[in-house]
Amino acid sequence: RHDEVTALDRRAREAVRHYTPMQVRDRFMQRHLSGAGIQQVWPELTHYLEARPEETDTLVTMMKKNEISTDASPAFYIALGRARTPLAMAALLDIMRDEVAPPIERIRAMFGMVDREDVGVPLAEEFAVMARNITRGKSDATRVLGREALLALGAMAGLQQNEDITKVAVSAAALILEEGEDPVERRPGYGAVANIGDVAYMTFADEGSRKKDARDREAAAIVVRRMHPDDTSDFVAAWLAREDNAHVKEAIYTTVDLQTIDIPVAVGPRLLDQALLDLAAEPRVITRKAILNILGRAVHRYPQARKALIQQIPYELQEDSGIYDVIVRYLEPDEVRAAI
């Protein structure tokens, strides 16, 4: 939990308390410009904002005046979002609501709030109101903000695990899926449900998988992204068996590949059987790569997967697809040598 203050946190705050806002800004930018990863860039700024909350507005003003470079902005918003103070929360809300702020800054402020401990249903409802602009907005910028608000709402529901927030998110997603006039407008609805990650809402994937427009089906593939593969494999296998669009299949397999990276388990046998059938049809390279990753994660419990990987090596070498490097991660060296 981000709201638990440890002895280490208190020491980190004391270590930076004496800096001026300009000094801590400069230290933040030095870490950013050094090429350090984002996880090394933001924590000190968070500790400073917690040690000296009265300087929050000063630092936010620096960011607004571009005294903190735009490319460092993502780390700045992480720091602000992780700062466990009312002033940090107020700053994020002010930026999100500022209609003259650049849309990207408003979006970063949204996502900076989704996992905070001091947010709840009121913020979820505010996101839901903004999300209506996906279909009702009068400008591209407003519609983009609406889309990101809906995705942020889904993420908030997935992270907060609060039944009331989830209800708001599901209702907002359903509204967009109902009101959207084309697949582009409807896509964020599926993305929001994916961010919730609750198998209770598999019906969104099922309904999306049966849409006439292939672009809707392609968008719906994301719904299972954060669900457990044990709960989704049979559904996905049945969908793939009846799906005839290559782009949709690619979206499905790419989603399952990412799903099983986050939750490293082998998918069910029905899905593995279907993956073998689809691999034999020589799909496009992105689809093949996803299928081979999915099969690779099952080599220890599904002998057909190992056999398929070995047999695929000559084809991928001939095609110079770059997938050979994917396959060999899952095989023993002697198996690779024999295939070559």
Side-chain angles (χ1 to χ4, degrees):
R1 287 170 58 93
H2 299 321
D3 61 340
E4 293 176 352
V5 180
T6 66
L8 186 62
D9 290 330
R10 287 189 285 271
R11 287 195 296 272
R13 292 175 185 179
E14 288 305 313
V16 297
R17 183 184 296 277
H18 64 284
Y19 291 129
T20 67
M22 285 186 292
Q23 287 174 322
V24 83
R25 185 269 319 270
D26 291 345
R27 289 172 60 85
F28 172 82
M29 287 305 304
Q30 286 168 4
R31 287 191 300 277
H32 170 72
L33 293 171
S34 74
I38 197 167
Q39 292 300 321
Q40 284 73 53
V41 174
W42 64 263
E44 184 182 273
L45 181 54
T46 291
H47 293 312
Y48 184 78
L49 290 166
E50 292 177 335
R52 300 282 301 278
E54 70 278 7
E55 302 293 359
T56 301
D57 285 347
T58 302
L59 284 157
V60 169
T61 299
M62 289 180 181
M63 185 271 298
K64 291 179 178 179
K65 291 181 176 180
N66 294 322
E67 294 173 14
I68 294 172
S69 67
T70 301
D71 57 349
S73 181
F76 180 87
Y77 277 98
I78 293 174
L80 191 59
R82 291 299 181 93
R84 294 159 285 193
T85 72
L87 287 173
M89 179 63 191
L92 289 164
L93 276 174
D94 286 346
I95 295 166
M96 183 189 76
R97 293 167 176 166
D98 184 356
E99 295 186 358
V100 300
I104 188 61
E105 303 298 324
R106 298 179 69 185
I107 291 165
R108 286 171 178 158
M110 289 178 199
F111 283 93
M113 292 185 282
V114 296
D115 64 344
R116 291 181 63 94
E117 301 292 338
D118 52 359
V119 299
V121 172
L123 179 62
E125 291 176 337
E126 190 165 352
F127 282 153
V129 170
M130 295 177 70
R132 295 173 193 165
N133 285 320
I134 294 172
T135 56
R136 305 176 191 179
K138 300 187 185 308
S139 69
D140 288 343
T142 303
R143 289 188 287 271
V144 167
L145 285 166
R147 180 191 69 201
E148 297 301 322
L150 183 55
L151 295 173
L153 176 54
M156 183 182 179
L159 291 165
Q160 296 286 343
Q161 296 291 297
N162 177 296
E163 183 178 348
D164 292 330
I165 292 173
T166 300
K167 286 179 180 177
V168 175
V170 171
S171 177
L175 179 65
I176 293 305
L177 290 171
E178 179 183 345
E179 285 191 352
E181 294 184 354
D182 57 52
V184 173
E185 287 190 349
R186 292 189 286 269
R187 180 179 285 271
Y190 294 116
V193 179
N195 284 346
I196 296 170
D198 190 334
V199 72
Y201 304 109
M202 273 281 288
T203 52
F204 286 92
D206 186 35
E207 292 172 4
S209 74
R210 301 177 191 279
K211 295 290 187 180
K212 183 177 180 179
D213 193 320
R215 294 173 298 168
D216 277 310
R217 303 199 303 275
E218 184 179 358
I222 195 66
V223 170
V224 302
R225 171 71 173 82
R226 301 189 187 282
M227 298 176 187
H228 198 288
D230 289 351
D231 297 323
T232 62
S233 287
D234 285 349
F235 163 76
V236 171
W239 181 359
L240 285 164
R242 67 174 185 269
E243 182 56 62
D244 60 4
N245 184 280
H247 294 286
V248 178
K249 285 199 170 192
E250 183 173 289
I252 296 169
Y253 279 117
T254 300
T255 296
V256 175
D257 182 15
L258 294 171
Q259 180 189 30
T260 52
I261 289 173
D262 289 348
I263 306 175
V265 299
V267 299
R270 287 182 61 191
L271 181 47
L272 291 168
D273 288 344
Q274 185 62 46
L276 290 176
L277 289 174
D278 286 326
L279 180 63
E282 298 184 2
R284 300 190 309 173
V285 64
I286 295 174
T287 309
R288 294 202 312 275
K289 182 178 180 181
I291 289 174
L292 290 165
N293 272 322
I294 293 163
L295 292 172
R297 296 180 190 113
V299 292
H300 297 296
R301 62 177 256 190
Y302 189 73
Q304 300 97 311
R306 186 179 298 277
K307 181 179 178 181
L309 292 179
I310 293 170
Q311 291 177 340
Q312 195 70 17
I313 288 176
Y315 178 80
E316 299 302 343
L317 288 173
Q318 178 183 333
E319 292 292 307
D320 194 23
S321 63
I323 297 179
Y324 168 80
D325 292 336
V326 173
I327 296 173
V328 298
R329 294 201 301 261
Y330 301 109
L331 298 174
E332 299 298 330
D334 59 334
E335 293 173 323
V336 175
R337 286 192 293 268
I340 295 174

